[in-house]
Amino acid sequence: MRLVRNAGVGLLAGALGTAAMDLVLYQRYRRSGGKSGIWRWEFASDVTSWENASAPGQLGRKALRLSTGHEPPPEWARATTNIMHWATGVGWGGQYGAVASLASLHPWVRRVAFVPVVWLSGYVVLPLAKVYKPIWAYDARTLRDDLSAHIVYGAVVSAVFAVLTKEER
């Protein structure tokens, strides 16, 4: 029962962590001259075809193509981008909760390990799926900005999880 409860709390923590990370990314977008409002930006309103879908959206496109045997229509690009983005963040939160139930590690070890695991997984899975470049193809600033957004995500996930489960700090 503890596993189910912790995974559920982790899912909620993952949603809140995703929202926090997105706020950081949205602030950067606005500072760099972006004009879209937060809801338009958050829900990928400008994604009108597969060509301008994000890497998670492209991964979703490949999954849809594999499962149906057909190229998904371009009208699905926006919804797929949103679903893949949120499912990734929420899913990592659920895994965090599950690990909290199963691992005998001290909570601080899990908290510290979470961010690099999540951050680096994208640089493993997405290049293997051929929707992202390998990590060495990015400049230091891009990697730093991506890592810092993931640190916000991980901090919120672990903090929400700790508060909701009354986990020792």
Side-chain angles (χ1 to χ4, degrees), residues 92 112-122:
W92 274 111
V112 169
F114 185 58
V115 169
V117 167
V118 172
W119 180 65
L120 288 170
S121 71

Side-chain angles (χ1 to χ4, degrees), residues 147-164:
L147 176 59
S148 65
H150 280 82
I151 289 170
V152 169
Y153 168 80
V156 170
V157 169
S158 61
V160 168
F161 185 84
V163 167
L164 294 180

Side-chain angles (χ1 to χ4, degrees), residues 74-121:
E75 300 82 37
W76 291 16
R78 178 181 176 204
T80 303
T81 294
N82 285 308
I83 290 166
M84 291 298 292
H85 169 70
W86 281 91
T88 300
V90 171
W92 274 111
Q95 291 176 66
Y96 182 89
V99 167
S101 297
L102 302 174
S104 61
L105 297 173
H106 296 287
W108 65 270
V109 173
R110 176 179 10 94
R111 292 177 194 136
V112 169
F114 185 58
V115 169
V117 167
V118 172
W119 180 65
L120 288 170
S121 71

